[in-house]
Amino acid sequence: MATASSSGLSSDLAGGADTIVARATPAGRGALAMIRISGSAAAEIAGVVCPAADFSSGWRASLAALLDSTGRVLDHGVVIPYPAPRSYTGEDMFEVTVHGAPYLVEGLIDACVTAGARRAQPGEFTRRAVANGKLDLVQAEAIRDLVAAETAWQLRNAREQLAGALSEAFGGLRKELVDLLAALEASLDYEAQGVEVPQEDLAEKIASCRGAVGRLVSTAGAGQRIRDGAGVVILGPPNAGKSTLFNLLCGTERAIVSPHPGTTRDVIEAEIDIDGVRMVLRDTAGLRAEGDRVESEGHRRAVGAAAAADLVILMWPLGGARGEDPPDAPSGVAVIPVRSKADLGDHETAPAGWLAVSCHTGQGIDRLRARLAEAVAGEISDLGGAVAIAARHRRSLECAARDLDGCDPRHPELATEHVRWAVRSVDELIGDICTEDVLDAIYRDFCVGK
Amino acid sequence: MADADLVVVGGGHAGCEAAAAAARLGVSVILVTLHQSTMAQMPCNPAIGGIGKGHLVAEVDALGGLQGWAADRAGIQFRVLNRSRGPAVWGPRAQCDKVVYSRLLRRVVGGLRGVTVVEAEVGDLVVDGGRVRGVILGGGRLLRADAVILTTGTFLGGVLHTGALRRPGGRLGEQPSSTLGSALAARGIELRRYKTGTPPRLSRQSLDLEKLEIQEGDADPRPFSWRSRGVENRSVCWLTRTPRKVQKIIAGNIHRSPLFSGTIEGVGPRYCPSIEDKVVRFPHHERHTVFLEPEGLDSDSIYVNGLSTSLPTDVQDDVIHSIPGLESAAVLQYGYAVEYDVVAPGQVAANLESRALHGLFFAGQLLGTSGYEEAAGLGLLAGVNAAQGLRGARPLAPAREEAYLGVLVDDVTGRDHREPYRMFTSRAEHRLVLGVDSARERLMEHGHRLGLVSERAFHVERERWRRRETARAALEETRLNPDAATRSAVRRAAAIDLTTPSSWAQILRRQDVDAEAVAAGLGAFDGLSAEDRRIVIGRLRYDGYLARHERERQRLHRLRHIPIPGDLDPGGVPGLSREVVEAMARDQPRTLADAERLPGMTPAALAIIAGALSRRGGFG
């Protein structure tokens, strides 16, 4: 179908035929590379590019000669046809695995383009899978996160989201909202039939929906920690060994360490992975009342970082700082209290609740790691898979929450408006209602070939 | 040589509005009806309007239709339903004298210049090259015309059921239309079987009125129509409730109801269930309300609203006589069910014209609706659009966000339905802007432009809108500063403490203020009728919600003006499902609004098409 030029569609939307081709493995030289082709002309293109492979015997690998655009043999490769609808996109598809020479891969893609395919946009395969009902939008986002996963928790969450845990939670919420809507509508439309819906029933249903939205919103914080990492701030008096601990947890010499108090003057951060949980660790300037202007600015920033953190490691050195009062813990943030320099503490033991560590001997460091992972992941594992992870999810859920807050069962025709909008917010989440902008934003982060 | 420009088949609520509207647009009309004496009959409940339905009546009236005016003239009791809710869902309803109503419309429609009424059965259409050219009457006589509107009601293949008794009929005592259905099917029009029912009628003299609860009309009865000066209540209704015993009576005879024995295959309306349906589906409801409505001032007949049934007559007797107040009731007519053919959805365009046969229009129950009001609305639109088509003028097709009529047409033509379609306010996404009190502002201009609303009436209405606007502006503009004198004045008037500078509009919007009482004393409302004052206040209170609707309305309006170029290849737009691509290729929508009506179209798919068009530079 060579309609592109005649219809004048801009190149990024329709380069011509509706069959797309892309390399699915990373660019560059490799042992193997895979390209995939999807669309109504896939079988036809396979007939040109790898005529020896039998497209009709789907889901079976076969070794076939691959022909370039002039019909010469490029190489041999493994071809797997996926006849529609049992394919990733729901369309006719096939995948070719070849030796990973960039020249070879390009030649094969060229051959497909000559045979009628066009190069795919990032995320276009997944976009087609959504359009054809193979995935919903939330699952499509999971695919993106799965490909991008760098920690065990990110992987696990993306996998559960792909399996439908979050889609189900959103679907359940939608159903409850629609039930509420039905009750409200019944109270408006059936007076003539003698049907009465008690106001208390409506109030109860509204509260229940609001609770369900609230629970999902509350997972958004954990979702963000899984995706972007939990913020962990090391806080304590000067010369408590904060930077030494920071370097030890990072496994690098990021922070400058010296025996002089006040060496660290700004907030230094690094991403770390502890037991599959991503954390953004921040080292801060020591807390003390006096000091020069730079130091007191550092103090201010340290307190600010702690207030914004998910978790604070509060350090109080043993030994050298004997007799001093423990530093004040910031309020409203989870704290792991740590007594550092345990090797210098003679026979002094850490008071109850304080974890004794020594960066010098490594004492207590494994326990600290375990406490950190538990403090962040312990909460996540309670969520059972339905974790609202994207900022998009949070925005829609918060919209729904606001609308439900505006529902007054004494004014059902107005409450109905709010619930209709709340349903709409949830529809946007699932992808039943979508603007092109939202779709573009979601698929922009995809790789080509996915 | 044509006998008329237009033939209207059927003289019910749809046929009468269609013939009248077309004739008033200057088209010559032959109205063919089986019996002239039963034109504009009310074969079921003796009432016009209600929740959702009253909205349709108001819109038909604003466009210059007849139903509201006839209901005002024939009305014997007027009530606004849902009065305890907000004004958007108020549903005016009039109990009518059936005989008066039917006679009024028969006289008006038959007396219109350009309308000829012919008593006959229509057996077939005359078709030439994909265009309808007239109809063939039962005796073989040919009526040539350039357009035909079919409004066959329940007569197409009609079958009546009472218990096991089954006989052909369109209504009790009237023969159905037997050959037209197969003629339509032979022309490729797909039909579908629907069912509806009607309750028994009782003799008023035989009721024990002492045991019944009286239901009065409104203290301030208001007419539907701009043509009417005023109306008055001339009768009351009564209500009673079914006793627990009814469950047992029905349960013991349920196998004898054609609904449950499998004799009736047609799909009945869920919202208007028969008493046997209600008992089976809501076994925990021990009592069901029964409304007793007089069928006329001089009539002895009482309509038993809530007791629709097709049980055998002996069971109907038992059920009726078990109900308090009806112990010795004499049954004038037993309840029965009727099965009939309707045009399956998807075959009719938004102007109510057949997609297959040019010049053929449908209206009323034939399109799968139920109710006099739905029928009148569709009839009016079909009449206007047939006439507009003959004159080569633009059709009248209100949008969903503009009128309940738009919702009605969009739903019955564009969406699948599996049961008789009745209007509800919940079907209108833009319910808050589609109140009965705004019908004239929304639609009267169309009626005036077409010539169905007089210049004088339109002028009078426009003046009212202007006065309401002035009052509203005054309320927004008056600033009240919370000084001691103003505070005490506001406290006296509105029983609230004014703490920040506010306008009267802001104060009246507050839910804790009795706006009606406050407004009565405000100078801004001088010269406004009580009704106009109420309308102004009602809209103030909806303001926050209306802003959202306005944005949505504008969005839809834009969609309607975005053309889809004929050379757009839907297969080349990534992200569309195969189903949508196929529907686009088949139906070739000309605007995004047309595309929105396609089967399988989702808002997401529409957004993708809009995106593709915008990137082409089609709109900004």
Side-chain angles (χ1 to χ4, degrees):
Chain A
M1 293 193 339
T3 50
S5 49
S6 63
S7 72
L9 278 175
S10 66
S11 61
D12 61 330
L13 259 172
D18 62 345
T19 299
I20 50 173
V21 57
R23 170 189 190 129
T25 42
R29 198 173 304 277
L32 293 172
M34 198 259 272
I35 72 161
R36 52 187 357 188
I37 296 92
S38 176
S40 57
E44 199 181 307
I45 292 167
V48 175
V49 177
C50 44
D54 179 11
F55 194 89
S56 60
S57 69
W59 313 284
R60 258 191 219 138
S62 63
L63 190 65
L66 307 170
L67 310 183
D68 73 6
S69 51
T70 64
R72 274 194 302 252
V73 174
L74 269 171
D75 189 11
H76 285 73
V78 175
V79 179
I80 308 178
Y82 298 93
R86 279 179 54 204
S87 69
Y88 178 71
T89 56
E91 303 171 330
D92 276 346
M93 260 184 88
F94 69 100
E95 292 175 352
V96 185
T97 306
V98 292
H99 295 114
Y103 175 80
L104 174 58
V105 172
E106 271 310 303
L108 196 54
I109 290 175
D110 277 346
C112 291
V113 170
T114 307
R118 86 173 149 77
R119 289 169 190 267
Q121 297 294 310
E124 203 171 347
F125 289 90
T126 306
R127 207 167 169 142
R128 290 180 176 206
V130 172
N132 289 319
K134 303 291 283 190
L135 296 170
D136 66 26
L137 202 55
V138 176
Q139 289 170 314
E141 287 172 306
I143 298 256
R144 176 196 61 195
D145 291 346
L146 196 62
V147 172
E150 288 178 345
T151 68
W153 270 103
Q154 287 172 346
L155 186 68
R156 177 181 148 169
N157 198 68
R159 206 179 51 229
E160 276 170 0
Q161 190 172 323
L162 180 60
L166 191 54
S167 305
E168 266 169 41
F170 291 155
L173 173 60
R174 189 184 193 284
K175 189 178 170 302
E176 203 177 344
L177 286 169
V178 170
D179 284 349
L180 166 60
L181 200 53
L184 284 165
E185 297 287 13
S187 79
L188 289 172
D189 270 339
Y190 290 90
E191 188 189 280
Q193 279 90 333
V195 173
E196 270 184 45
V197 183
Q199 229 174 65
E200 308 84 72
D201 286 8
L202 294 176
E204 204 175 288
K205 285 191 156 73
I206 292 169
S208 166
C209 285
R210 182 61 184 85
V213 173
R215 281 190 297 281
L216 280 167
V217 170
S218 70
T219 67
Q224 202 170 352
R225 286 198 289 282
I226 294 173
R227 205 179 139 80
D228 304 330
V232 178
V233 166
I234 306 175
L235 198 67
N239 212 21
K242 298 185 294 298
S243 297
T244 310
L245 178 65
F246 179 83
N247 286 340
L248 191 72
L249 290 173
C250 294
T252 60
E253 299 293 315
R254 269 294 306 278
I256 300 164
V257 184
S258 83
H260 309 295
T263 305
T264 305
R265 298 198 163 195
D266 197 357
V267 178
I268 300 173
E269 74 174 45
E271 286 189 10
I272 57 173
D273 176 350
I274 293 180
D275 292 352
V277 181
R278 166 173 290 204
M279 297 180 202
V280 179
L281 188 64
R282 292 188 175 88
D283 184 21
T284 61
L287 300 172
R288 62 170 166 192
E290 63 273 6
D292 63 26
R293 279 186 51 209
V294 176
E295 228 181 307
S296 61
E297 175 61 19
H299 179 106
R300 203 184 58 75
R301 290 186 188 183
V303 172
D310 295 306
L311 187 62
V312 165
I313 301 173
L314 187 64
M315 291 185 78
W316 181 26
L318 279 163
R322 193 172 311 170
E324 275 183 26
D325 292 334
D328 293 332
S331 59
V333 182
V335 172
I336 300 179
V338 164
R339 294 220 73 170
S340 58
K341 305 191 181 182
D343 51 313
L344 299 180
D346 303 333
H347 302 295
E348 190 185 353
T349 50
W354 289 77
L355 177 66
V357 303
S358 165
C359 295
H360 191 60
T361 64
Q363 175 197 339
I365 294 295
D366 282 347
R367 283 185 60 202
L368 177 60
R369 283 180 191 276
R371 289 276 300 275
L372 280 170
E374 187 195 313
V376 179
E379 180 193 346
I380 295 169
S381 65
D382 292 343
L383 300 171
V387 179
I389 197 157
R392 187 180 78 83
H393 301 164
R394 186 182 213 149
R395 267 197 311 277
S396 289
L397 289 169
E398 282 170 353
C399 274
R402 266 197 305 280
D403 267 313
L404 287 170
D405 286 339
C407 275
D408 183 342
R410 287 170 305 171
H411 303 285
E413 89 273 21
L414 297 179
T416 310
E417 295 290 309
H418 286 292
V419 180
R420 284 183 184 184
W421 288 101
V423 169
R424 204 186 163 100
S425 295
V426 176
D427 281 345
E428 277 173 5
L429 267 180
I430 305 170
D432 279 353
I433 296 181
C434 243
T435 65
E436 180 74 354
D437 304 349
V438 171
L439 293 176
D440 279 348
I442 289 168
Y443 293 112
R444 192 171 48 220
D445 297 342
F446 270 86
C447 329
V448 175
K450 195 66 206 180
Chain B
M1 183 62 199
D3 296 285
D5 297 325
L6 169 70
V7 170
V8 174
V9 181
H13 302 273
C16 282
E17 294 285 355
R24 293 173 65 208
L25 262 61
V27 164
S28 63
V29 181
I30 296 177
L31 189 153
V32 187
T33 175
L34 286 168
H35 304 283
Q36 204 162 339
S37 61
T38 57
M39 279 175 66
Q41 235 206 16
M42 297 182 165
C44 198
N45 60 328
I48 295 287
I51 300 165
K53 289 170 173 277
H55 293 77
L56 289 171
V57 180
E59 293 182 356
V60 165
D61 184 67
L63 286 170
L66 303 174
Q67 187 164 53
W69 166 80
D72 288 340
R73 295 284 292 268
I76 56 176
Q77 189 198 47
F78 296 82
R79 281 177 61 214
V80 173
L81 305 183
N82 259 351
R83 201 100 189 224
S84 64
R85 318 288 189 198
V89 292
W90 289 6
R93 184 176 187 272
Q95 215 64 57
C96 292
D97 186 313
K98 287 184 163 185
V99 176
V100 174
Y101 185 93
S102 166
R103 193 173 54 214
L104 260 178
L105 273 181
R106 199 162 63 230
R107 266 214 302 253
V108 169
V109 175
L112 274 175
R113 215 164 76 164
V115 175
T116 311
V117 177
V118 170
E119 217 171 66
E121 183 185 344
V122 169
D124 199 354
L125 300 171
V126 182
V127 175
D128 176 19
R131 223 207 125 88
V132 69
R133 293 289 177 194
V135 297
I136 300 169
L137 301 183
R141 187 183 153 200
L142 198 68
L143 283 183
R144 294 197 176 278
D146 292 324
V148 172
I149 302 177
L150 295 182
T151 70
T152 54
T154 58
F155 279 73
L156 208 61
V159 173
L160 309 180
H161 297 259
T162 313
L165 194 63
R166 196 169 177 279
R167 68 230 118 115
R171 282 189 295 244
L172 202 63
E174 294 181 62
Q175 284 306 305
S177 170
S178 47
T179 58
L180 185 56
S182 41
L184 288 177
R187 308 220 177 262
I189 290 168
E190 187 197 337
L191 300 174
R192 177 178 279 191
R193 206 93 178 122
Y194 274 3
K195 170 255 161 189
T196 190
T198 193
R201 310 296 196 275
L202 307 178
S203 161
R204 184 200 306 236
Q205 295 168 33
S206 66
L207 305 185
D208 187 350
L209 298 180
E210 296 290 305
K211 291 191 182 166
L212 303 175
E213 196 177 307
I214 289 181
Q215 198 173 34
E216 301 271 6
D218 285 344
D220 56 339
R222 300 207 50 82
F224 284 106
S225 180
W226 51 266
R227 292 188 177 97
S228 308
R229 293 252 168 275
V231 290
E232 57 179 320
N233 293 316
R234 288 183 283 176
S235 178
V236 296
C237 295
W238 300 270
L239 65 87
T240 179
R241 290 181 181 79
T242 58
R244 227 174 284 179
K245 211 166 106 190
V246 161
Q247 286 199 342
K248 209 177 289 169
I249 299 173
I250 289 175
N253 289 284
I254 197 74
H255 58 282
R256 297 174 65 196
S257 163
L259 284 175
F260 291 89
S261 64
T263 319
I264 292 185
E265 290 157 14
V267 185
R270 273 173 304 176
Y271 47 79
C272 187
S274 61
I275 185 70
E276 51 266 39
D277 250 340
K278 288 197 246 185
V279 166
V280 169
R281 272 197 275 155
F282 307 105
H284 50 285
H285 280 214
E286 293 186 344
R287 327 192 66 183
H288 298 277
T289 307
V290 171
F291 301 90
L292 298 160
E293 305 171 348
E295 299 212 296
L297 273 189
D298 305 324
S299 165
D300 182 44
S301 180
I302 297 286
Y303 177 89
V304 191
N305 195 346
L307 216 62
S308 172
T309 180
S310 54
L311 284 162
T313 53
D314 60 303
V315 186
Q316 293 192 29
D317 277 328
D318 289 350
V319 170
I320 290 163
H321 294 145
S322 73
I323 298 172
L326 313 185
E327 290 90 346
S328 50
V331 179
L332 300 178
Q333 177 194 309
Y334 287 99
Y336 63 93
V338 55
E339 262 191 299
Y340 53 99
D341 287 331
V342 302
V343 175
Q347 305 177 91
V348 180
N351 67 344
L352 301 181
E353 190 170 3
S354 160
R355 289 186 190 276
L357 288 177
H358 205 53
L360 177 65
F361 293 78
F362 302 100
Q365 266 170 304
L366 178 58
L367 280 176
T369 60
S370 141
Y372 315 138
E373 303 81 359
E374 289 82 352
L378 292 170
L380 176 80
L381 292 174
V384 167
N385 287 337
Q388 294 289 88
L390 290 169
R391 307 194 298 190
R394 276 216 333 249
L396 177 63
R400 287 187 82 87
E401 71 276 14
E402 201 183 350
Y404 275 86
L405 286 171
V407 174
L408 174 66
V409 170
D410 194 40
D411 283 350
V412 298
T413 62
R415 300 178 188 208
D416 198 9
H417 47 79
R418 291 276 161 194
E419 63 183 342
Y421 180 100
R422 177 214 198 277
M423 187 49 74
F424 289 107
T425 69
S426 57
R427 298 197 193 271
E429 299 83 349
H430 300 270
R431 172 163 59 198
L432 289 187
V433 286
L434 300 185
V436 164
D437 62 20
S438 68
R440 293 180 200 168
E441 273 152 292
R442 290 183 276 116
L443 297 170
M444 209 163 183
E445 197 179 344
H446 295 302
H448 175 246
R449 179 173 44 81
L450 289 165
L452 297 175
V453 172
S454 71
E455 176 65 39
R456 212 183 88 80
F458 186 51
H459 176 76
V460 168
E461 273 301 316
R462 252 195 326 214
E463 280 304 301
R464 279 185 68 193
W465 307 338
R466 200 186 49 72
R467 283 198 299 274
R468 295 204 291 246
E469 267 317 299
T470 311
R472 192 199 152 98
L475 293 173
E476 298 280 6
E477 279 157 20
T478 46
R479 302 298 293 180
L480 301 170
N481 285 313
D483 53 64
T486 312
R487 277 175 83 158
S488 80
V490 169
R491 198 174 304 122
R492 263 198 318 277
I496 56 160
D497 194 24
L498 189 70
T499 50
T500 51
S502 309
S503 66
W504 272 116
Q506 282 169 316
I507 293 171
L508 294 177
R509 271 186 202 116
R510 289 175 56 156
Q511 299 288 0
D512 56 347
V513 168
D514 180 357
E516 293 270 352
V518 177
L522 292 181
F525 288 109
D526 285 351
L528 247 65
S529 68
E531 191 191 2
D532 282 333
R533 193 168 69 208
R534 186 193 55 65
I535 290 173
V536 171
I537 295 168
R539 293 190 190 166
L540 279 178
R541 292 205 152 169
Y542 282 164
D543 263 352
Y545 297 84
L546 300 189
R548 261 179 168 181
H549 278 284
E550 182 54 25
R551 280 198 297 276
E552 177 67 7
R553 203 188 62 76
Q554 284 177 4
R555 189 190 71 81
L556 289 169
H557 188 73
R558 276 200 307 279
L559 284 191
R560 246 165 236 121
H561 288 89
I562 296 171
I564 299 177
D567 62 356
L568 178 84
D569 169 27
V573 179
L576 291 182
S577 71
R578 211 169 324 157
E579 189 189 0
V580 167
V581 170
E582 279 165 14
M584 295 268 294
R586 187 184 56 237
D587 289 359
Q588 310 253 315
R590 276 183 297 183
T591 69
L592 273 187
D594 294 341
E596 197 175 24
R597 293 165 185 260
L598 293 180
M601 181 61 69
T602 64
L606 196 71
I608 289 169
I609 298 167
L613 293 175
S614 89
R615 269 174 255 200
R616 263 178 87 140
F619 64 101

